[in-house]
Amino acid sequence: MDDYNNFYGEYRGSMDEGSFHLPFGLQSSPTSPMIPNQLEELGKRLNEGVKNVEIGAISQDVFETIPVGHFKEIGRLAKLTDSKVSVHAPIVDPAGFTQEGWKESNREQTEEYLKSIVDRTQSINPDGNTVINLHTTGGVPAYEWKKGLPGEKNMMFVVNQETGQLAPLKYEKLNYLGEVKDWTPDQKLEQLNESTWENEKLKLISYDKAKDESERMIMREKSNPAYQSALYAQRQGHSLTSEQIDYIKSVGRRLDSYKQQIESYDKVIIEGLQKMNHNYKEFHSIDTTEQSSVVSANEKALSTLGKKFRIQEDITEEAKRRENEAFSQLSIDSSDSERLRISGEINQWKNNEINSKVGEKLDSSYLLSKLNKLPAPELFRPVDDFTKEKTVETLANVAAHAYEKYGENAPILSTENWEPGSALSRADSMKELIVESRDKLSEKLIESKNLSKTEADRVAEKLLGATWDIGHIYQLKKHGYSKEDIIEETEKISPYLKHVHLTDNFGYTDSHLAPG
């Protein structure tokens, strides 16, 4: 114990000179993560005199080849030697990111995989709470830090919530007229969301203008004196010259073409509006500014319009069905005038229905004008925020599974910070991850197990926590951070710790040196 006290009393940092000694019985050690025979690896560590051993493999392929029976034997051997065993799960991404980006199906598959690791780990110590250490991320980049910059962000990665793809936003100094201004990643993110929303609106507006042009061409054709004269003569039963007949047919073909163009533009505009409406409802943030009441009113108006538009679409579809059914009963030699009569009657029925059930007909231009008043949704979000939201769901679901099967003896899920630039690897974001995961788990336990809030909170705090890897966080040094900054990071996360990985390095790579 004197050696223990001397070590902590004298050791100050990785650059200190001198010899330090700590008995093996007070040390912890991992097994080799490359070897499937983790039972043999545990035996080696125990033979060295180490009492706290972390087994497992960072590769999913290696972890899956560990014989299931070995987990039980590992627990038996640990009990015989009065040792404590934790498990390092393979590096997977709890949020659902892969090389191709993010998908909900990936998150769901990872969740099921982590449940299987919980079940295998439970056999190590069925009567206790074996710690399962898992990375907060599979390596998704979130930030490039730089001490001294506004917000300390040299680069921020954002994710398109619709596609799951990532994009980097880099800090810049821009030369504006008369001044140099900081252009931060957060400012770029706001602009990206605004410009993306505006570009979607501009595309639809361009289609709307093209549609207006087609409508003007129809009016121009119909108002042509020659066409009006020929139509009048036809209605009066006068004989038409061959030129007049050809002219009427030619105008009719052009009118049909313009009508088809209008229908196509309408379809594209409506589909675009539906997509924009979906993105707004899915990704807009709650507005807490003075304009919130205005935005809320616009949202309610758009929702009402959406319901009316759906009714209008149903009436239109029914009109098409009726027209097709009527046309199918006509003989081959039926005249065009008969078809026009049927179309006119059905069109009149459609207009009457729309007037009575919807009111003013809702065309694409009208809907576009309403959607145009809404603020831009957060289609792009910081990777760190998005990852946290998805990881909270995974952790809460896996912990709920563990408690459902094993109760108070369930394994503990302890999430580990990776290199500082990766998602959820700084103290503040890890703290938020743990707090929100515990809250989510507590809600689930109250609902599914009828626990009181006090009891549910206690269980959640017991089963979810953080692993703090000193070697990982110390790499902040290469981004301009001091030892005091890194100590401050550790102090922030300390109340949530379940597990610690203690190695040394010079702050530039995770070299896994022994302390000192």
Side-chain angles (χ1 to χ4, degrees):
M1 186 55 68
D2 288 338
D3 289 324
Y4 178 81
N5 289 329
N6 288 338
F7 180 87
Y8 281 96
E10 296 179 16
Y11 182 68
R12 293 178 298 279
S14 60
M15 301 303 292
D16 290 349
E17 296 180 359
S19 175
F20 302 97
H21 173 70
L22 187 66
F24 271 106
L26 296 176
Q27 294 184 38
S28 303
S29 176
T31 57
S32 170
M34 307 303 295
I35 299 175
N37 191 346
Q38 291 291 298
L39 180 59
E40 181 181 355
E41 282 292 298
L42 173 62
K44 291 178 181 179
R45 300 293 89 78
L46 294 176
N47 286 337
E48 293 168 352
V50 176
K51 286 291 189 178
N52 301 283
V53 182
E54 185 160 272
I55 67 164
I58 60 175
S59 165
Q60 195 170 346
D61 290 340
V62 174
F63 195 94
E64 289 304 292
T65 57
I66 300 174
V68 175
H70 279 201
F71 288 92
K72 186 174 182 179
E73 286 300 305
I74 285 170
R76 186 182 66 82
L77 185 56
K79 188 174 182 180
L80 286 172
T81 56
D82 192 27
S83 303
K84 192 169 184 178
V85 173
S86 59
V87 173
H88 197 304
I91 296 179
V92 294
D93 195 274
F97 279 96
T98 65
Q99 293 290 337
E100 289 73 39
W102 177 85
K103 286 197 301 187
E104 173 61 16
S105 59
N106 293 336
R107 190 204 65 76
E108 292 171 350
Q109 290 168 19
T110 301
E111 179 183 308
E112 292 305 313
Y113 181 61
L114 291 176
K115 289 176 183 177
S116 77
I117 292 176
V118 165
D119 293 336
R120 279 175 274 182
T121 299
Q122 178 65 12
S123 61
I124 292 176
N125 186 5
D127 300 322
N129 304 102
T130 304
V131 172
I132 301 176
N133 178 71
L134 56 116
H135 281 208
T136 55
T137 174
V140 181
Y143 298 106
E144 183 181 291
W145 302 103
K146 189 173 182 180
K147 185 76 171 178
L149 288 182
E152 300 186 351
K153 301 167 190 172
N154 190 45
M155 185 181 294
M156 177 171 70
F157 287 84
V158 297
V159 58
N160 183 320
Q161 297 190 83
E162 185 180 22
T163 66
Q165 299 302 302
L166 302 184
L169 301 178
K170 187 173 175 59
Y171 167 83
E172 292 181 287
K173 277 187 175 294
L174 297 182
N175 289 297
Y176 287 98
L177 291 173
E179 63 177 332
V180 176
K181 290 191 69 175
D182 292 315
W183 194 230
T184 68
D186 292 292
Q187 290 170 325
K188 286 187 172 183
L189 173 60
E190 184 177 354
Q191 185 204 43
L192 178 60
N193 280 319
E194 288 287 347
S195 61
T196 302
W197 185 245
E198 291 302 318
N199 286 336
E200 288 298 317
K201 289 193 287 189
L202 285 173
K203 281 195 295 186
L204 299 187
I205 289 171
S206 68
Y207 286 127
D208 194 48
K209 287 182 177 179
K211 173 188 157 187
D212 287 343
E213 181 60 28
S214 294
E215 289 174 342
R216 282 194 293 270
M217 292 303 295
I218 288 176
M219 294 297 295
R220 187 179 304 170
E221 292 282 1
K222 286 184 175 181
S223 61
N224 188 299
Y227 181 63
Q228 290 291 330
S229 177
L231 282 182
Y232 179 77
Q234 187 182 54
R235 294 193 193 102
Q236 297 300 315
H238 299 161
S239 296
L240 301 179
T241 65
S242 59
E243 289 80 4
Q244 285 178 311
I245 294 173
D246 289 342
Y247 178 62
I248 290 175
K249 289 181 178 179
S250 175
V251 172
R253 286 192 294 270
R254 290 198 294 274
L255 291 175
D256 286 341
S257 175
Y258 292 135
K259 288 176 183 177
Q260 289 175 6
Q261 289 175 18
I262 290 171
E263 288 181 3
S264 296
Y265 288 135
D266 251 336
K267 183 177 180 181
V268 171
I269 293 170
I270 292 298
E271 287 177 351
L273 286 170
Q274 298 283 26
K275 179 184 175 183
M276 289 183 70
N277 186 60
H278 168 79
N279 284 349
Y280 180 78
K281 289 182 177 296
E282 284 288 311
F283 307 130
H284 82 289
S285 60
I286 298 174
D287 193 342
T288 58
T289 67
E290 293 179 0
Q291 298 298 317
S292 60
S293 59
V294 176
V295 173
S296 178
N298 286 330
E299 288 178 354
K300 290 178 181 178
L302 190 63
S303 178
T304 301
L305 286 175
K307 293 175 183 177
K308 288 184 175 181
F309 181 73
R310 184 67 265 164
I311 295 171
Q312 179 176 291
E313 288 288 278
D314 291 342
I315 293 171
T316 302
E317 287 298 316
E318 174 61 18
K320 289 179 181 178
R321 188 195 67 76
R322 292 188 179 194
E323 185 177 70
N324 290 335
E325 183 179 352
F327 283 172
S328 68
Q329 296 174 5
L330 294 176
S331 60
I332 297 175
D333 56 353
S334 296
S335 64
D336 289 341
S337 60
E338 179 64 12
R339 290 178 177 271
L340 288 172
R341 183 190 65 78
I342 292 173
S343 293
E345 290 178 355
I346 292 176
N347 193 55
Q348 184 62 46
W349 172 85
K350 181 181 75 173
N351 290 336
N352 291 339
E353 285 289 293
I354 290 174
N355 286 334
S356 65
K357 296 180 180 179
V358 177
E360 182 183 0
K361 184 178 179 181
L362 304 176
D363 63 8
S364 58
S365 301
Y366 185 73
L367 291 171
L368 182 58
S369 69
K370 294 299 181 183
L371 191 67
N372 198 41
K373 297 178 180 178
L374 296 177
E378 291 183 339
L379 180 62
F380 291 88
R381 282 181 66 193
V383 163
D384 215 49
D385 293 347
F386 182 83
T387 301
K388 181 183 67 176
E389 177 184 305
K390 303 303 176 182
T391 303
V392 163
E393 186 172 0
T394 299
L395 292 178
N397 289 343
V398 175
H401 161 85
Y403 186 78
E404 176 70 30
K405 294 188 72 172
Y406 310 115
E408 291 283 348
N409 297 324
I412 292 169
L413 299 179
S414 189
T415 52
E416 174 189 348
N417 60 304
W418 209 356
E419 295 184 359
S422 57
L424 303 175
S425 291
R426 292 286 297 270
D428 286 331
S429 56
M430 280 194 72
K431 174 183 173 181
E432 291 174 3
L433 171 66
I434 301 304
V435 169
E436 292 179 25
S437 297
R438 286 174 174 176
D439 288 344
K440 186 90 170 178
L441 175 59
S442 181
E443 291 173 6
K444 288 178 176 292
L445 296 178
I446 292 170
E447 181 179 351
S448 64
K449 308 301 289 184
N450 293 320
L451 298 184
S452 68
K453 187 174 188 312
T454 300
E455 183 66 6
D457 288 347
R458 182 191 66 79
V459 172
E461 184 175 342
K462 178 180 180 180
L463 298 185
L464 289 171
T467 293
W468 194 237
D469 191 303
I470 304 299
H472 289 166
I473 196 63
Y474 195 61
Q475 291 173 77
L476 278 173
K477 181 179 177 181
K478 63 186 175 186
H479 300 293
Y481 290 80
S482 66
K483 185 172 70 175
E484 288 71 27
D485 293 327
I486 297 167
I487 291 173
E488 184 180 345
E489 288 279 313
T490 303
E491 289 173 343
K492 288 179 183 177
I493 198 65
S494 60
Y496 306 92
L497 293 184
K498 299 288 187 181
H499 201 60
V500 173
H501 285 171
L502 180 60
T503 62
D504 217 336
N505 62 54
F506 292 94
Y508 300 96
T509 186
D510 189 23
S511 49
H512 282 92
L513 301 174

